[in-house]
Amino acid sequence: MRTLFAVGTLVLLSGCSTLPDPDPNQAWVDLAPGDNDSLHALQVDERDWADSRYFEVQPGNHELTVRYQFAVTPSNIGPVEEPLWRDCQLNLTFKDFTAGQRYQMQAGSIGFRPWIKLYDQRQKLIGQGEPAGCQRT
């Protein structure tokens, strides 16, 4: 009985987390957070985006805004024992989104400074974004 319950729970949870099929007439942007951080889609061209797991945009020029949450390790802060969590927004503008292409957005940080990068299907770096503001969480 426990096995059946566990399998049923996994099936239900996996159904909730599936992404829609990409539209071949649009560009798809996957979000790749690190192991101990989170990355969420917020806005496309300053308009709220409904699904925080990815972006799907028309071909052409777009500004993407993400929310990136990460920990600054105590070695980057000073004499403290706990990491300091940062909650940041970053903007990335790219002029050549292509229909049917799949892109990947990766985020990270160096100390207190977050960064965001955009890669094409061949894992070639094609764009970088800028922080738009951070706060302590």
Side-chain angles (χ1 to χ4, degrees):
M1 184 69 178
R2 287 183 184 170
T3 304
L4 182 61
F5 178 73
V7 170
T9 302
L10 287 174
V11 168
L12 283 174
L13 289 176
S14 66
C16 295
S17 66
T18 59
L19 294 172
D21 291 331
D23 181 343
N25 298 314
Q26 298 199 50
W28 183 279
V29 182
D30 287 308
L31 303 180
D35 292 335
N36 296 319
D37 52 18
S38 66
L39 182 62
H40 302 282
L42 289 181
Q43 295 181 331
V44 174
D45 301 327
E46 298 182 1
R47 291 188 195 105
D48 289 342
W49 180 250
D51 196 319
S52 65
R53 302 171 297 168
Y54 68 95
F55 289 108
E56 193 169 42
V57 295
Q58 294 288 326
N61 183 28
H62 295 285
E63 180 183 67
L64 307 178
T65 303
V66 295
R67 179 179 186 188
Y68 179 55
Q69 296 174 305
F70 63 98
V72 179
T73 61
S75 64
N76 286 320
I77 301 170
V80 297
E81 295 179 18
E82 296 294 319
L84 173 68
W85 282 91
R86 303 277 287 164
D87 185 353
C88 300
Q89 286 191 9
L90 297 105
N91 296 329
L92 185 140
T93 301
F94 185 65
K95 296 182 180 188
D96 295 317
F97 283 107
T98 305
Q101 295 296 307
R102 202 157 183 153
Y103 302 88
Q104 185 178 68
M105 189 178 285
Q106 295 180 5
S109 65
I110 299 172
F112 282 82
R113 185 165 170 75
W115 54 261
I116 192 88
K117 296 179 181 180
L118 184 66
Y119 295 88
D120 66 10
Q121 292 182 142
R122 296 179 301 270
Q123 290 301 304
K124 178 183 174 194
L125 178 64
I126 57 173
Q128 296 185 39
E130 293 292 326
C134 294
Q135 60 189 5
R136 182 178 172 172
T137 61

